[in-house]
Amino acid sequence: GGEKMVIPKHIVSAAAIILNEKNELLLIKGPRRGWEMPGGQVEEGESLKDAVIRETKEESGIDIEVIKFCGIFQNIENSICNTLFLGKPIGGELTTSPESLEVGFFKLEEALEMVTWGNFRQRIEYCLNEKLHPFCISF
């Protein structure tokens, strides 16, 4: 019999490392993963940058400007490609949402200790280290 072509179905997500002028990091507290950077799935017909701007606004209330693309973390088992961007706040107000029980800007050292899910802390550290850009990490 003729074998059917299996079309890969990957999830593409975009996350933002947002530092304010005090060098504080924007974090949201999600219901499942605890403290993390804002971000989420890129919708069909949407650019990566537009997705990270939209998701950050939805989850934190903060309007951002994307400064640079940092790299990708690829979760091979779950077929997720997480693109990571550096950005800065340009407006809005801190607001919670169903996806973010708490939101805030935190001192960098404190923020890194708050992020405990999987390799999320490593993702933030890679984004903050320009020598590593662009990175492509598979796990």
Side-chain angles (χ1 to χ4, degrees), residues 27-30 35 59 95-97 99-104 106:
L27 292 179
I28 66 158
K29 188 174 192 180
W35 290 101
E59 293 182 344
T95 317
T96 57
S97 77
E99 293 174 24
S100 49
L101 313 174
E102 295 179 53
V103 299
F106 302 93

Side-chain angles (χ1 to χ4, degrees), residues 16-19 26 49-50 52-54 56-57 62-69 85-91:
I17 310 303
I18 305 300
L19 291 170
L26 176 62
K49 277 187 181 176
D50 286 347
V52 80
I53 291 168
R54 174 184 55 77
T56 301
K57 179 68 172 176
I62 298 295
D63 297 303
I64 63 160
E65 179 185 319
V66 173
I67 295 170
K68 76 178 290 198
F69 169 73
F85 292 87
L86 210 53
K88 67 175 185 185
I90 54 171

Side-chain angles (χ1 to χ4, degrees), residues 3-139:
E3 286 186 26
K4 275 197 185 141
M5 271 268 299
V6 178
I7 298 169
K9 284 189 172 31
H10 289 79
I11 292 170
V12 177
S13 64
I17 310 303
I18 305 300
L19 291 170
N20 65 13
E21 60 288 343
K22 296 183 203 155
N23 211 36
E24 295 168 329
L25 185 67
L26 176 62
L27 292 179
I28 66 158
K29 188 174 192 180
R32 287 183 303 144
R33 297 185 291 252
W35 290 101
E36 59 183 327
M37 48 280 182
Q41 290 190 28
V42 180
E43 291 170 2
E44 290 187 22
E46 183 177 42
S47 76
L48 295 170
K49 277 187 181 176
D50 286 347
V52 80
I53 291 168
R54 174 184 55 77
E55 285 283 352
T56 301
K57 179 68 172 176
E58 285 175 8
E59 293 182 344
S60 72
I62 298 295
D63 297 303
I64 63 160
E65 179 185 319
V66 173
I67 295 170
K68 76 178 290 198
F69 169 73
C70 300
I72 294 180
F73 268 66
Q74 180 189 12
N75 182 329
I76 294 174
E77 194 180 338
N78 296 330
S79 298
I80 298 171
C81 285
N82 176 226
T83 59
L84 292 147
F85 292 87
L86 210 53
K88 67 175 185 185
I90 54 171
E93 285 179 30
L94 288 170
T95 317
T96 57
S97 77
E99 293 174 24
S100 49
L101 313 174
E102 295 179 53
V103 299
F105 282 96
F106 302 93
K107 286 184 188 148
L108 212 43
E109 296 105 53
E110 185 189 346
L112 288 170
E113 285 179 18
M114 292 162 67
V115 177
T116 56
W117 180 268
N119 58 17
F120 280 16
R121 175 177 175 155
Q122 186 190 4
R123 298 183 198 196
I124 296 171
E125 289 172 337
Y126 271 57
C127 288
L128 296 173
N129 184 348
E130 289 208 356
K131 292 191 188 107
L132 299 174
H133 302 172
F135 49 82
C136 181
I137 309 294
S138 301
F139 66 98

